[in-house]
Amino acid sequence: MANIGIDLGTTNSLVAVVMGQTPRVLLDDDGRSMTPSAVRYTGAKQADGSDAPPMIGWDALDNAVDHAETTLTSVKRFMGRSLDEARKVAEELHYTLAEGEGHDVVRIQAGDKVVTPVEVSAWILRLLYMRANECLMAEPTGVVITVPAYFDDAQRQATRDAGKLAGMNVLRLLNEPTAAALAYGLQENSQGTYAVFDLGGGTFDISVLELTEGVFQVLSTAGDTRLGGDDFDRELAKLILSKAGIENAKGSVLRAAMEAAEQAKRDLTAGEIAAISVELGGQSVQMQITRAEFNDLIRPIAERTLKSCKQALADAEMEPADMDGVVLVGGSTRVPLVREIVEEFFGQKPLSNLDPDKVVALGAALQADILTGSSELSDDLLLMDVVPLSLGVETMGGVVERLIWRSSPIPVTASETFTTQVDGQNAVDLHVLQGERELAKDNRSLARFKLKGIPDMPAGLPRVKVTFTVDADGILSVSATEQYTKTHAEIEVQPSYGLSDDEIENMLESAIDNAESDVDQRLLIEARVEAQQVLAVVDKSVKADVDLLGGNETQVISQVSDALREACESDDRKRIQELTTKLDEVTAPFAQRRIERDLKLALEGQDALQVLDVLDRTVKAAEDAAN
């Protein structure tokens, strides 16, 4: 039984698993740990007329400039967001947003196909899940998916929906800084109070944690879910486009500028100067930029992180000097200016002992392993995370009554009693909100639902008890009960601009209807794994007992083995299975002779009881081998 951890990132994603007591990031066939969080919809059709699966990861980025409007990247920024919020950054996209259908859901136009961020993320998760399946030679039992600590309820719901749509058993949503702290605490034996500074491609988090003898307690968290390395790239891309005299770039031109900017950022991380050469709209742009110039360009963005750092420290009632260490997480912390800003603010050199790109995935794998219940860590470890934003309901006058405050440890339950506003009121509308502002209109609306059946009573007499519960994933559920009649209503909060249960169900049904190719791929992987296991046993047995082979057995076994190895390189599942069966058949006499000789050797010099014991163990070994 193996659980896996997945870091679903804005720019890149990773999957990891604990092997022995060590978490390891799993590599693809080309030895790469990171998979670009990119999906390209090709518009191709399968033989039955259904849509072909999209290209994912590295494949999706090949010739992305030529397919800019169908290559979807950085969709994590739109997870759980409203269409109005998405429109605010629409001009920064190389692809196009589609209008909502029926309610305020972000949809993306990819050629002739309209998709949601949840669907796009599900494809990325599927690819990582298949990688784990291949590496482990078995289907993972469950998965822990990491999310930015400052993701609100809607964004967490969207992430969980993506995992569900990908066919995964999502065990837990784990905050990224907490995952990083878990990896540091267990692998580096860290103790004390730490700030985890997590700057990825599209999101920023800062968490203050206390690590004490296996207890990982989050004291506070803050951040910005629209701040990351993508913003550095965008500023540099604007400079490149202005050099070419291009305004309001779209599609392929914008994508080409962004790719050139991203490469220049990497070059400036390693060196002091970057040469930029890119074709934009038929003209060639050649320019150089120094690290100092780049720093001036991105400094306002990088320094925005400090506002959240100050907030997190204030919530924890601490100062920068109180930190025993500052852990860097996320690929964007490789940018030299970011490290300089962090070091200056906290007054100490930040830690990057573990790879900032991998540490979140490693922590997710550790948490996933703990959730198996069989990990040696499970009895000695306690994770105590917090609610990132306050939760409450709208009351009379449009003000917010908070039931759960920011930085409350989770899981948590809180209740408050309300009453009616007019005589004879037989229903109460509940408006669930998230945020720190005093007025409902200034906070994030999560859901609305109605409690009906309140008895006909004068205003102020009914007693309606509202209960908020936030689970270990940070997901909110709300219930309301009228105390006299025990009339009850409850809801697991589903944001008005999130995917409805029906939509998720329809997507799942669609995935099932069109999943033949996925099923075939899974069966092919299983056939290859079985074949490779049989080949390994045969090779070992022949090498150990070659003297038991007679006639042309050696030649026949070798021929079938070579044919099976060759078949494993193909996609012909039927031939792999046939050759695996044939190899079992041609080695059966040899296997029988090995058992007989081992039995004879075991019986020499034994008394009757010992003989029976040997026979019993031999039969059991044969049964185990057959199974």
Side-chain angles (χ1 to χ4, degrees):
M1 180 172 67
N3 293 334
I4 60 174
I6 291 180
D7 175 9
L8 180 62
T10 304
T11 308
N12 294 292
S13 297
L14 304 91
V15 57
V17 68
V18 172
M19 297 180 179
Q21 290 298 308
T22 304
R24 301 183 186 279
V25 172
L26 301 180
L27 309 180
D28 66 13
D29 292 339
D30 294 316
R32 297 171 298 203
S33 59
M34 292 192 292
T35 295
S37 300
V39 175
R40 184 202 300 171
Y41 291 86
T42 64
K45 299 291 183 180
Q46 301 187 99
D48 61 0
S50 62
D51 291 335
M55 301 173 76
I56 312 166
W58 293 104
D59 291 340
L61 289 187
D62 285 344
N63 298 317
V65 170
D66 295 334
H67 303 279
E69 294 188 354
T70 56
T71 302
L72 310 185
T73 58
S74 298
V75 297
K76 182 175 177 179
R77 283 193 161 188
F78 301 121
M79 294 285 275
R81 289 297 184 186
S82 69
L83 187 57
D84 285 341
E85 290 173 312
R87 287 194 185 106
K88 294 176 183 177
V89 296
E91 69 277 2
E92 301 173 352
L93 302 174
H94 56 81
Y95 46 85
T96 305
L97 295 180
E99 290 301 312
E101 299 174 12
H103 58 289
D104 197 13
V105 176
V106 177
R107 287 181 167 85
I108 302 167
Q109 191 76 44
D112 60 357
K113 194 172 184 65
V114 176
V115 296
T116 66
V118 168
E119 293 172 278
V120 177
S121 298
W123 282 113
I124 298 166
L125 290 170
R126 282 191 191 101
L127 180 64
L128 297 173
Y129 193 77
M130 287 182 61
R131 180 182 304 171
N133 198 341
E134 291 179 19
C135 292
L136 299 175
M137 299 185 188
E139 185 171 358
T141 308
V143 59
V144 170
I145 303 175
T146 60
V147 293
Y150 222 54
F151 254 21
D152 61 25
D153 192 82
Q155 293 164 308
R156 291 170 190 271
Q157 287 276 13
T159 304
R160 189 174 66 172
D161 287 345
K164 181 179 178 181
L165 187 57
M168 297 177 173
N169 175 24
V170 181
L171 302 171
R172 179 73 52 84
L173 298 180
L174 180 65
N175 287 343
E176 290 165 5
T178 308
L182 181 59
Y184 260 91
L186 294 181
Q187 292 200 267
E188 301 292 315
N189 295 315
S190 302
Q191 300 284 321
T193 304
Y194 286 79
V196 180
F197 185 98
D198 182 359
L199 185 62
T203 60
F204 170 66
D205 287 315
I206 175 73
S207 291
V208 178
L209 301 97
E210 192 169 65
L211 284 60
T212 308
E213 297 180 352
V215 177
F216 293 73
Q217 182 176 6
V218 180
L219 303 179
S220 66
T221 190
D224 188 333
T225 57
R226 284 177 286 187
L227 173 63
D230 284 358
D231 298 293
F232 298 163
D233 298 343
R234 195 165 288 111
E235 287 302 308
L236 186 49
K238 289 178 183 177
L239 181 64
I240 296 170
L241 289 165
S242 67
K243 180 78 172 179
I246 299 174
E247 297 181 359
N248 301 319
K250 299 290 183 182
S252 296
V253 173
L254 180 56
R255 177 68 199 180
M258 288 291 288
E259 286 190 0
E262 185 179 359
Q263 182 58 54
K265 179 182 68 176
R266 288 197 294 266
D267 292 343
L268 291 170
T269 296
E272 293 292 334
I273 192 167
I276 298 171
S277 177
V278 59
E279 293 290 326
L280 297 175
Q283 61 176 308
S284 178
V285 176
Q286 310 286 333
M287 61 180 290
Q288 287 187 335
I289 184 169
T290 65
R291 181 184 288 178
E293 291 171 330
F294 179 61
N295 287 350
D296 289 341
L297 194 65
I298 67 170
R299 185 177 294 276
I301 300 171
E303 289 183 344
R304 279 170 52 194
T305 62
L306 300 183
K307 180 181 178 181
S308 298
C309 291
K310 293 173 184 176
Q311 181 66 63
L313 289 171
D315 288 347
E317 299 181 349
M318 291 185 172
E319 299 293 333
D322 295 329
M323 298 300 102
D324 293 305
V326 182
V327 177
L328 294 181
V329 179
S332 297
T333 61
R334 297 182 186 279
V335 174
L337 177 64
V338 172
R339 297 195 174 201
E340 291 172 16
I341 288 174
V342 172
E343 183 171 352
E344 181 180 353
F345 179 80
F346 285 98
Q348 60 179 291
K349 191 175 182 65
L351 303 171
S352 56
N353 311 43
L354 298 179
D355 188 332
D357 286 314
K358 299 178 181 178
V359 63
V360 169
L362 296 175
L366 285 165
Q367 175 65 15
D369 185 59
I370 290 166
L371 292 177
T372 63
S374 58
S375 170
E376 293 182 8
L377 302 171
S378 57
D379 294 332
D380 304 319
L381 181 70
L382 176 63
L383 286 180
M384 298 175 65
D385 223 321
V386 297
V387 176
L389 294 164
S390 298
L391 296 158
V393 295
E394 181 179 358
T395 59
M396 187 169 55
V399 299
V400 179
E401 178 72 24
R402 291 183 179 84
L403 276 74
I404 297 177
W405 289 84
R406 181 179 76 246
S407 295
S408 298
I410 59 173
V412 60
T413 296
S415 298
E416 189 70 55
T417 300
F418 300 93
T419 189
T420 52
Q421 300 174 19
V422 297
D423 293 342
Q425 183 177 338
N426 57 20
V428 173
D429 291 313
L430 290 164
H431 185 196
V432 183
L433 300 156
Q434 187 167 33
E436 309 308 318
R437 304 286 295 275
E438 296 303 318
L439 296 181
K441 66 182 182 63
D442 297 323
N443 289 279
R444 189 171 178 79
S445 174
L446 293 181
R448 295 176 183 269
F449 73 109
K450 186 184 292 286
L451 175 66
K452 300 178 181 179
I454 295 175
D456 189 353
M457 300 170 68
L461 286 184
R463 290 290 181 266
V464 178
K465 183 178 181 181
V466 178
T467 301
F468 279 26
T469 300
V470 179
D471 64 17
D473 293 334
I475 301 295
L476 170 67
S477 59
V478 180
S479 66
T481 304
E482 201 287 309
Q483 297 297 287
Y484 293 115
T485 63
K486 301 304 179 184
T487 302
H488 182 78
E490 62 183 304
I491 184 174
E492 182 177 275
V493 172
Q494 182 71 56
S496 59
Y497 40 80
L499 293 177
S500 68
D501 289 339
D502 287 343
E503 285 179 301
I504 289 291
E505 188 64 30
N506 289 337
M507 287 180 186
L508 287 170
E509 290 176 0
S510 176
I512 292 171
D513 292 341
N514 298 289
E516 186 175 347
S517 60
D518 290 342
V519 172
D520 288 343
Q521 184 65 26
R522 174 176 172 174
L523 293 174
L524 175 61
I525 292 170
E526 291 175 346
R528 284 175 176 162
V529 169
E530 182 183 0
Q532 289 161 358
Q533 290 174 334
V534 171
L535 283 168
V537 171
V538 169
D539 290 345
K540 182 178 180 180
S541 300
V542 169
K543 185 176 181 180
D545 295 313
V546 67
D547 58 305
L548 292 180
L549 292 167
N552 65 342
E553 277 187 310
T554 302
Q555 182 179 356
V556 171
I557 292 173
S558 178
Q559 288 175 344
V560 178
S561 296
D562 290 343
L564 181 54
R565 288 190 180 90
E566 183 179 348
C568 284
E569 298 297 322
S570 72
D571 294 335
D572 192 340
R573 173 169 57 88
K574 185 176 179 181
R575 178 161 174 76
I576 294 172
Q577 292 171 326
E578 289 174 348
L579 287 169
T580 301
T581 300
K582 186 174 181 180
L583 186 57
D584 281 332
E585 292 172 352
V586 300
T587 57
F590 170 55
Q592 182 63 33
R593 289 195 293 273
R594 293 186 74 229
I595 292 173
E596 290 172 355
R597 185 169 76 173
D598 290 345
L599 183 58
K600 181 179 179 181
L601 291 173
L603 292 177
E604 288 181 358
Q606 305 294 321
D607 61 27
L609 290 176
Q610 290 172 320
V611 168
L612 290 174
D613 181 61
V614 170
L615 288 171
D616 182 67
R617 285 188 283 110
T618 302
V619 170
K620 187 178 186 304
E623 290 174 348
D624 290 343
N627 293 330

